[in-house]
Amino acid sequence: MTHPLEELREVALAEIAVAPDEETIEAARVRYLGRTGSISAWGERMKSLPKEEKPIVGKLLNEVRGAVTLAIEERGAKLRAAQEASALADLDISLPGTPNEIGALHPLTQMLDRAIAIFRRMGFALAEGPDVEDEWHCFDALNTPPDHPARAEQDTFYLPDGHLLRTHTSTVQIRTMESAPPPIRVIAPGAAFRRDEVDATHSAQFHQIEGLYVDERVSVADLKGTLEFFFHELFGPGTEVRFRPHYFPFTEPSFEIDVKSKALKSGEKWIEVCGCGMVHPAVFEEVNRARRDAAYDPEKWTGYAFGLGMDRLAMILFDISDIRLFAQNDLRFLKQFAA
Amino acid sequence: MKFSLNWLREFVELPNDAGQLAELLTFAGVETEQIEQRGADFENVVVAQIKSSEQHPNADRLSVCIVEDGSGETRQIVCGAKNYKVDDKVPLARPGAVLADNLKIKASKLRGVESQGMLCSAKELGLAEDAAGLLILSPEARIGAPIGELFPNDTILDVEITPNRSDLLSHYGLAREIAALTRKPLRGLQMAEPATGAGASVQISAPNECPFYSARRIENVTVDSSPAWLRAKLEAVGIRPINVVVDIANFVMLEIGQPLHVFDGDKLRGGINVRLALPNERMLALDGRSYKFRGDELLVADLEGAVGIAGVMGGEESGVTPATRNVLLESAYFLPRSVRRTARNLNLPSDASYRFERGVDPAMVLRASQHAAQLIAELAGGTPARETIVAGTLPAPPPGFSLRYARCDELVGTRVEPAEADRILEGFGLQKLGGTNEQSTWRIPSYRTDLRREVDLIEEIVRVFGINRIPSADRSRFTPVSTADRRYDFEMELRNKLVARGFSEVRTSVLIGRDSLGKEFVPTAVELRNPLSEDHVALRPSLLPGLLAVLERNVRAGAKSIRLFEIGRVFLPPTGEETRGLALLLCGEAMSRPHWRDRNVRRLDLYDLKGALAALGLGDVALRRVESAQFSLGIEVSLNEKRLGIAGQLLSMQSRANGPVFVAEMDLPNEIGISQGTPKFHELQRFPSVSRDIALIAPEELSHAEILAVIKGAREALLAAVELFDLFSGEGAENIGAGRKSLAYSLTYQDKNRTLTSEDVSAAHARVRERLKSELGVELRE
């Protein structure tokens, strides 16, 4: 036989479960749990019960009170939630969100930043040098004396005082070695200039990252590993990297690097992306002369150097067809590279 | 340089596939830029001779030719070209021939006249991109000969020879390299050295520029056009045939790399003297132009004057013509430095100077002369003098030096067995003079002037050893942060802050155009001595001309909301001293497109510029109004009492934008970015703050800064913050009155040691209100 309290519980729970609004729930709470509520009344009634029944009924009373209280709270929470949700039911979430005018970093900056980040992970520090240079830093110190066939004065912009605009960032190799003894491990992003007709792939000003590592026993193997890693990081692990022997006056042996990647638009084509090589001992000797010491003893120190064309890399990476777009700075172009 | 595979095959066996050869060369450092098929080996196309030519009866532009094609019968051909004469030999395509571009030839009637085939142009035979008229063949061409005999199939490689490898600037030289790389035998040159003798007829007055000169007289030559094989060889590699004597000189140069020159011997007065030019001396060269010399150019002269620019180009007056009977054949060693200087002074590069500048093979100078003399005897019927007259001495072969195998391994990064290293060097013609397991000594062949020290030998070894066999190492080194690192990070931080505020970064060239010079932001600039175009003539002293040009481009492109910045180098006149700067530009609407929540389109204004400057976080940037010719509102920007730059609203005439333009340009000296310290934590306030507002009406000319100074007072200890939250004035402002504005401030009071009582706050607030009334006389609103 069920105790009346249990019946009371069933009635109360059934009523609460279907309560349509918070007022009804509040009314129910007063009716059952209020000071004179029908459940609370059992508190008084307890006193008149026989001693042996008291603990049993007391426990039951606590259970019933707890269950009804919980039901009221839950039903109330559910009703309040439903009410809040219904207030928002008609909100059109397809409306455009609050705009934030965000700009864009120039794609060349983004390209440089990606490349710099990779080299920094490999322990390279940054270095820099001036755009306006002298002939010694741009040519002579780089094993390209005045009668050298690779010395391209007609492709060089000169200032009236005989200074020139550097034709490559390799000048920073010399600047860095002049100012500090080995070991050296630097990259130097910067502009370079060539007196060349402007077209879709040539501009008077272009951008390079120069790299230089001078240490004991630096080898072609180190150069190869470093640049392979760089291109894999930049273009993805599936990128193929090949080294071709080449000639630069200031490195020996010298190489050009081609890359090929299915991820790029160029697909199956090899694209030339870098010139590099082992620092020519004549460069160390010339630096020593300028330093008036023997800090860069070519018997003790060897090194590698490389130059990356950043405009070209950015064109490859971002599928940009015309180098002139970089200097035009059309916002419709720039905003395509917004983060 | 262009190389004919047929020609190379005369010296060495080649891989069957041209692509394979190109790849082989490319991976040995000789990059192939292009592979081109040549030749006109078409069936049913033969050499024919035009016997007569009549006007076509029904067409003004056509002729009717009778040609003989070796079959014994003549043919009638209708022809549209005009560039031939009767007796010329031309290619005839008989019916059935299929020409370039799949052009099928059949017998047909043209305007009522029968044509039994077609006379061909170079284009129709695939020999040229374009052709005006028929291809006129050499007079010696045999009538009826298949055209393929005159234009054999060939593959032409266009190869980039790096400046160090002058030894590859000839067919023999490249064949020698291929032989070394493929380990195939090289068919040697059968060339003897001629008998030589000294004589008064050759003299060197400039031995520092010309160590050696030889001349050989060849008499009774007949200067006609060259035989077909010679013409074809030259044409295949892009050299225009001229006459048999000149063609032989070019042929020898292309075959073995020694440039030669041939004078008309009867036009020379007295002996040859190789000397420096006299200042202002002049000579008419073979290109038809007259050159004036500075005085340091090397010339070949006779008694009366210059007859050639040594190693660069011959003189017009002493040149070989069809009338020439006796010639003088020059073969010399001119110093690279001298030829380079001369060619550069005169801006006159030539095939000869290209080779002399890079250094020719001393061992070939006399053999080339002998080779050419024999050919002239053979093809032009000349009689060479028994002796070649020489002056000076040829440069000695390069000295030998040693290779340390351990050094090679160290630089390469892997083990190269000494036997393999030796084999590679020997393959290139180097001779091992002796050595041990540790090192070896090598004699360098005369043509490898680029091999001067040990590292050059290591380079040769790497080329053939193959970079694929070298492992990839992942060596690194710890490096401390540099000044350039800090500077880079600082500038990237500025960039990112500006981008987050809607600014787009531009990168303009540091070279500015002629049209910017002398204008507002470029009163002076360091100009280039040798600009190439009017767009790039000077180094920018300011970033603003570039930004304004970008503004203009974007306005034209229809941009409505323009926020730009650039961080880069500027160059201060007169020296071009480099500093780094930052410039901002704002123009147009605050939002680039309309949005449903903000129906009121706000235009960008000075406060957007000021907000951007503040967002840079450079520190306490102070602004002060200044007079400026370019600005309708000019502001000087300074940081810690130091002038940093200028900002403001440009005069409207400064730009074509439809509306006000706001700009700022500042220096970014190293001290700013690099001195920025690490932020330090301040304890959070534990006690609550209380806010009270003040609304006031003030005359228009009273500035916010003045009001703020009074609110803050001298010592208002509890006042933690003041914010202006409302401002209105002007026409829309009701109940204020003309010339006045209404401002509202929110004041926050706080004490870090206790909770403020209402009395504390009221007392402080009352003091602020009292100061505003008494010190500024403003009207406080309740």
Side-chain angles (χ1 to χ4, degrees):
Chain A
M1 168 189 155
T2 46
H3 192 275
L5 258 175
E6 289 177 304
E7 283 171 22
L8 196 51
R9 175 175 64 186
E10 295 317 310
V11 173
L13 290 182
E15 188 184 332
I16 291 161
V18 297
D21 51 39
E22 290 204 72
E23 287 75 45
T24 318
I25 294 206
E26 178 57 16
R29 193 187 65 76
V30 171
R31 223 162 344 101
Y32 293 107
L33 300 174
R35 210 156 39 84
T36 59
S38 48
I39 294 176
S40 309
W42 275 87
E44 273 308 297
R45 212 167 294 167
M46 285 274 291
K47 294 174 186 162
S48 55
L49 287 178
K51 200 174 177 189
E52 64 276 14
E53 276 187 35
K54 271 187 183 172
I56 300 164
V57 176
K59 187 165 171 268
L60 183 61
L61 176 58
N62 277 338
E63 273 174 28
V64 171
R65 192 188 278 130
V68 173
T69 306
L70 183 65
I72 287 173
E73 275 171 20
E74 285 181 348
R75 182 64 185 165
K78 202 167 178 183
L79 284 172
R80 280 191 297 278
Q83 198 183 348
E84 282 180 34
S86 82
L88 298 173
D90 293 334
L91 197 80
D92 181 357
I93 62 161
S94 73
L95 282 174
T98 309
N100 180 24
E101 288 289 316
I102 188 159
L105 284 177
H106 194 283
L108 269 175
T109 302
Q110 295 190 33
M111 180 68 239
L112 282 161
D113 200 46
R114 281 190 196 207
I116 288 168
I118 298 168
F119 283 119
R120 280 178 156 184
R121 286 208 302 283
M122 291 190 272
F124 285 86
L126 290 182
E128 57 188 348
D131 289 358
V132 175
E133 266 293 2
D134 51 48
E135 293 201 299
W136 186 80
H137 282 92
C138 196
F139 298 126
D140 304 70
L142 289 162
N143 197 29
T144 318
D147 57 338
H148 197 286
R151 182 151 167 171
E153 277 114 341
Q154 68 275 19
D155 301 335
T156 306
F157 286 117
Y158 281 88
L159 303 186
D161 65 1
H163 279 79
L164 49 77
L165 299 188
R166 63 181 176 195
T167 56
H168 46 195
T169 46
S170 305
T171 52
V172 187
Q173 290 183 33
I174 306 300
R175 294 260 167 210
T176 307
M177 290 192 280
E178 275 182 291
S179 63
I184 296 278
R185 191 171 171 89
V186 293
I187 51 166
F193 304 85
R194 212 148 287 174
R195 196 169 167 273
D196 206 349
E197 293 296 339
V198 173
D199 63 25
T201 54
H202 296 88
S203 60
Q205 176 181 344
F206 54 99
H207 304 85
Q208 296 186 316
I209 288 183
E210 189 76 14
L212 174 69
Y213 180 37
V214 181
D215 209 329
E216 289 176 81
R217 289 183 304 280
V218 177
S219 71
V220 175
D222 298 321
L223 169 66
K224 194 181 167 197
T226 302
L227 291 174
E228 278 174 352
F229 179 79
F230 172 76
F231 287 113
H232 288 153
E233 289 288 298
L234 186 65
F235 290 126
T239 308
E240 291 177 70
V241 182
R242 75 177 190 192
F243 288 67
R244 266 185 294 110
H246 197 69
Y247 170 76
F248 303 106
F250 41 96
T251 49
E252 181 89 323
S254 307
F255 305 94
E256 279 186 337
I257 298 177
D258 304 327
V259 297
K260 185 163 87 171
S261 168
K262 288 198 182 74
L264 301 175
K265 204 175 184 179
S266 47
E268 287 302 296
K269 236 179 88 194
W270 288 103
I271 317 164
E272 183 190 318
V273 287
C274 178
C276 59
M278 304 304 294
V279 178
H280 199 295
V283 173
F284 286 149
E285 286 158 7
E286 196 63 18
V287 165
N288 283 338
R289 263 193 290 283
R291 292 175 56 97
R292 296 165 197 278
D293 65 13
Y296 287 86
D297 175 1
E299 284 298 308
K300 180 167 183 218
W301 303 96
T302 53
Y304 63 67
F306 55 84
L308 295 157
M310 300 315 286
D311 307 78
R312 189 169 164 76
L313 284 178
M315 289 171 78
I316 295 168
L317 198 64
F318 300 126
D319 273 357
I320 295 169
S321 53
D322 191 325
I323 198 172
R324 288 168 291 200
L325 286 162
F326 289 131
Q328 286 168 355
N329 297 294
D330 191 314
L331 280 166
R332 293 169 299 175
F333 169 77
L334 297 175
K335 292 259 179 146
Q336 291 185 26
F337 304 97
Chain B
M1 180 183 167
K2 287 183 169 180
F3 289 92
S4 148
L5 294 202
N6 290 350
W7 200 338
L8 288 172
R9 258 188 219 104
E10 294 174 19
F11 302 112
V12 67
E13 185 186 328
L14 299 181
N16 286 329
D17 177 41
Q20 217 178 318
L21 175 62
E23 175 131 335
L24 171 82
L25 289 171
T26 296
F27 281 91
V30 185
E31 199 179 345
T32 305
E33 290 172 332
Q34 218 187 332
I35 302 176
E36 180 199 335
Q37 298 301 328
R38 268 188 70 93
D41 199 1
F42 297 102
E43 279 189 43
N44 281 319
V45 182
V46 298
V47 177
Q49 188 170 38
I50 299 173
K51 304 309 271 183
S52 69
S53 172
E54 307 282 337
Q55 175 66 47
H56 189 292
N58 307 324
D60 289 350
R61 290 167 182 270
L62 297 179
S63 313
V64 180
C65 299
I66 303 297
V67 305
E68 192 188 322
D69 67 353
S71 63
E73 288 170 28
T74 56
R75 281 170 185 270
Q76 174 174 295
I77 310 283
V78 176
C79 171
K82 296 280 179 226
N83 66 320
Y84 60 88
K85 55 187 188 300
V86 169
D87 286 343
D88 272 353
K89 290 177 181 168
V90 295
L92 165 70
R94 292 175 179 145
V98 181
L99 303 183
D101 298 331
N102 213 19
L103 177 64
K104 296 190 175 88
I105 303 302
K106 50 185 192 293
S108 59
K109 279 193 172 173
L110 288 167
R111 294 280 189 108
V113 176
E114 172 148 25
S115 184
Q116 298 164 307
M118 185 177 88
L119 303 181
C120 307
S121 70
K123 180 167 188 274
E124 284 147 355
L125 294 178
L127 293 170
E129 291 292 310
D130 208 358
L134 302 181
L135 175 64
I136 308 298
L137 303 172
S138 155
E140 309 81 280
R142 183 170 58 82
I143 296 170
I147 198 73
E149 275 183 20
L150 274 69
F151 301 100
N153 280 346
D154 197 357
T155 304
I156 307 301
L157 294 190
D158 201 346
V159 170
E160 185 201 340
I161 306 289
T162 54
N164 57 324
R165 294 303 303 274
S166 58
D167 61 307
L168 301 183
L169 291 171
S170 69
H171 282 77
Y172 180 67
L174 190 67
R176 187 166 53 200
E177 181 83 355
I178 294 168
L181 295 172
T182 57
R183 297 213 249 166
K184 291 272 163 44
L186 177 72
R187 272 159 235 146
L189 288 171
Q190 304 301 317
M191 284 176 211
E193 294 214 346
T196 58
S201 57
V202 174
Q203 188 192 337
I204 299 173
S205 304
N208 288 332
E209 284 77 17
C210 175
F212 181 83
Y213 191 95
S214 80
R216 188 171 190 180
R217 201 171 157 81
I218 303 170
E219 297 187 331
N220 294 318
V221 297
T222 307
V223 182
D224 225 326
S225 58
S226 296
W229 67 266
L230 179 52
R231 293 167 61 96
K233 261 187 164 161
L234 296 182
E235 280 171 341
V237 295
I239 303 288
R240 189 169 56 91
I242 295 171
N243 62 49
V244 66
V245 171
V246 173
D247 292 352
I248 287 169
N250 282 331
F251 169 80
V252 171
M253 174 179 78
L254 295 170
E255 177 146 291
I256 59 178
Q258 170 69 32
L260 302 171
H261 184 65
V262 191
F263 297 100
D264 183 329
D266 299 327
K267 302 263 175 71
L268 298 176
R269 301 284 168 259
I272 292 287
N273 182 15
V274 187
R275 61 163 169 84
L276 290 179
L278 307 170
N280 297 323
E281 186 173 1
R282 284 179 167 279
M283 192 198 82
L284 183 66
L286 276 170
D287 62 357
R289 290 170 55 200
S290 175
Y291 290 91
K292 186 165 122 180
F293 304 114
R294 298 199 315 205
D296 56 354
E297 299 90 348
L298 187 66
L299 299 181
V300 179
D302 65 6
L303 267 182
E304 294 187 350
V307 294
I309 307 166
V312 180
M313 193 172 277
E316 172 72 21
E317 284 161 29
S318 58
V320 172
T321 68
T324 299
R325 285 292 157 260
N326 303 304
V327 299
L328 192 73
L329 173 66
E330 163 197 295
S331 184
Y333 187 90
F334 301 116
L335 268 197
R337 187 182 309 134
S338 159
V339 174
R340 177 172 160 74
R341 187 176 58 209
T342 302
R344 202 177 28 168
N345 281 359
L346 304 174
N347 192 20
L348 178 61
S350 67
D351 287 332
S353 72
Y354 193 80
R355 287 169 174 80
F356 280 122
E357 265 180 44
R358 285 159 175 75
V360 298
D361 178 2
M364 282 294 168
V365 174
L366 283 171
R367 292 161 87 186
S369 174
Q370 173 71 1
H371 191 27
Q374 278 172 1
L375 283 169
I376 292 173
E378 223 173 278
L379 303 177
T383 310
R386 201 184 52 78
E387 257 191 0
T388 301
I389 309 299
V390 300
T393 46
L394 282 161
F401 46 85
S402 309
L403 170 72
R404 293 165 295 171
Y405 297 110
R407 173 74 175 178
C408 177
D409 292 351
E410 200 173 287
L411 195 70
V412 174
T414 194
R415 173 80 175 146
V416 182
E417 291 300 328
E420 182 168 9
D422 288 359
R423 186 182 56 68
I424 292 168
L425 294 179
E426 280 163 354
F428 285 119
L430 278 71
Q431 195 187 342
K432 187 171 174 177
L433 298 175
T436 63
N437 278 342
E438 275 85 47
Q439 61 91 38
S440 51
T441 311
W442 295 85
R443 174 179 290 158
I444 310 300
S446 61
Y447 49 87
R448 289 306 298 271
T449 48
D450 60 313
L451 304 182
R452 287 176 199 170
R453 56 196 294 172
E454 185 180 41
V455 70
D456 299 322
L457 299 186
I458 296 173
E459 196 247 342
E460 293 301 290
I461 292 166
V462 169
R463 273 198 312 135
V464 178
F465 180 79
I467 187 141
N468 293 336
R469 290 169 63 194
I470 301 174
S472 304
D474 60 355
R475 181 171 174 195
S476 182
R477 176 175 265 285
F478 297 167
T479 46
V481 70
S482 67
T483 309
D485 275 308
R486 289 187 203 279
R487 150 128 243 145
Y488 178 81
D489 292 337
F490 167 61
E491 289 183 2
M492 276 310 284
E493 210 175 294
L494 294 184
R495 286 187 172 100
N496 286 324
K497 285 174 181 167
L498 287 167
V499 165
R501 287 185 71 92
F503 285 81
S504 289
E505 187 196 18
V506 308
R507 280 176 166 260
T508 63
S509 178
V510 305
L511 292 171
I512 52 175
R514 175 89 56 205
D515 52 2
S516 310
L517 298 184
K519 297 262 176 68
E520 288 69 21
F521 298 102
V522 193
T524 60
V526 179
E527 289 187 42
L528 298 178
R529 192 172 77 198
N530 58 341
L532 192 63
S533 84
E534 291 296 288
D535 296 337
H536 300 118
V537 301
L539 290 165
R540 64 183 181 196
S542 159
L543 296 167
L544 292 177
L547 273 190
L548 288 171
V550 172
L551 168 69
E552 203 151 291
R553 163 176 285 275
N554 281 294
V555 166
R556 263 189 277 123
K560 294 241 172 351
S561 172
I562 299 175
R563 289 182 182 84
L564 307 172
F565 76 96
E566 178 164 12
I567 294 178
R569 292 185 179 186
V570 292
F571 302 80
L572 306 180
T575 55
E577 182 199 337
E578 293 176 39
T579 65
R580 297 190 63 93
L582 160 69
L584 304 173
L585 182 148
L586 290 152
C587 175
E589 292 164 7
M591 304 297 282
S592 54
R593 55 180 79 96
H595 192 261
W596 56 279
R597 307 196 69 179
D598 259 316
R599 257 169 241 103
N600 305 324
V601 178
R602 186 174 71 76
R603 292 193 73 84
L604 291 164
D605 61 24
L606 190 75
Y607 301 107
D608 291 298
L609 180 65
K610 194 176 168 186
L613 289 178
L616 294 173
L618 297 179
D620 248 340
V621 169
L623 306 183
R624 190 171 65 84
R625 268 181 187 262
V626 287
E627 290 296 315
S628 165
Q630 293 97 42
F631 292 94
S632 41
L633 196 174
I635 292 168
E636 186 186 79
V637 183
S638 50
L639 179 67
N640 305 330
E641 317 274 292
K642 219 183 124 201
R643 186 185 185 278
L644 212 54
I646 187 131
Q649 179 174 341
L650 288 181
L651 285 169
S652 57
M653 66 175 117
Q654 304 284 1
S655 90
R656 279 192 213 147
N658 178 26
V661 177
F662 304 90
V663 299
E665 180 172 34
M666 308 187 303
D667 295 332
L668 287 181
N670 265 345
E671 310 86 84
I672 297 186
I674 293 168
S675 65
Q676 279 195 331
T678 310
K680 300 292 180 201
F681 171 67
H682 299 283
E683 279 301 333
L684 304 181
Q685 296 291 346
R686 289 164 57 208
F687 298 97
S689 63
V690 177
S691 287
R692 297 276 174 89
D693 294 349
I694 292 179
L696 56 89
I697 292 171
E700 282 279 13
E701 63 272 16
L702 188 65
S703 77
H704 163 71
E706 289 168 290
I707 297 170
L708 196 60
V710 171
I711 291 177
K712 288 184 173 168
R715 266 195 315 273
E716 201 53 76
L718 298 181
L719 185 59
V722 185
E723 302 293 344
L724 175 70
F725 71 90
D726 197 21
L727 167 68
F728 60 95
S729 65
E731 301 224 338
E734 40 187 300
N735 307 330
I736 299 180
R740 306 214 297 168
K741 60 186 173 186
S742 163
L743 302 101
Y745 291 87
S746 167
L747 285 67
T748 303
Y749 297 93
Q750 193 165 41
D751 190 305
K752 66 176 182 178
N753 295 320
R754 63 192 175 97
T755 303
L756 291 177
T757 64
S758 176
E759 290 72 31
D760 296 330
V761 175
S762 297
H765 201 61
R767 279 197 301 276
V768 172
R769 292 173 65 91
E770 186 48 41
R771 276 203 303 275
L772 286 168
K773 269 192 282 192
S774 62
E775 294 179 27
L776 295 175
V778 299
E779 179 186 327
L780 297 183
R781 306 176 99 191
E782 293 311 319

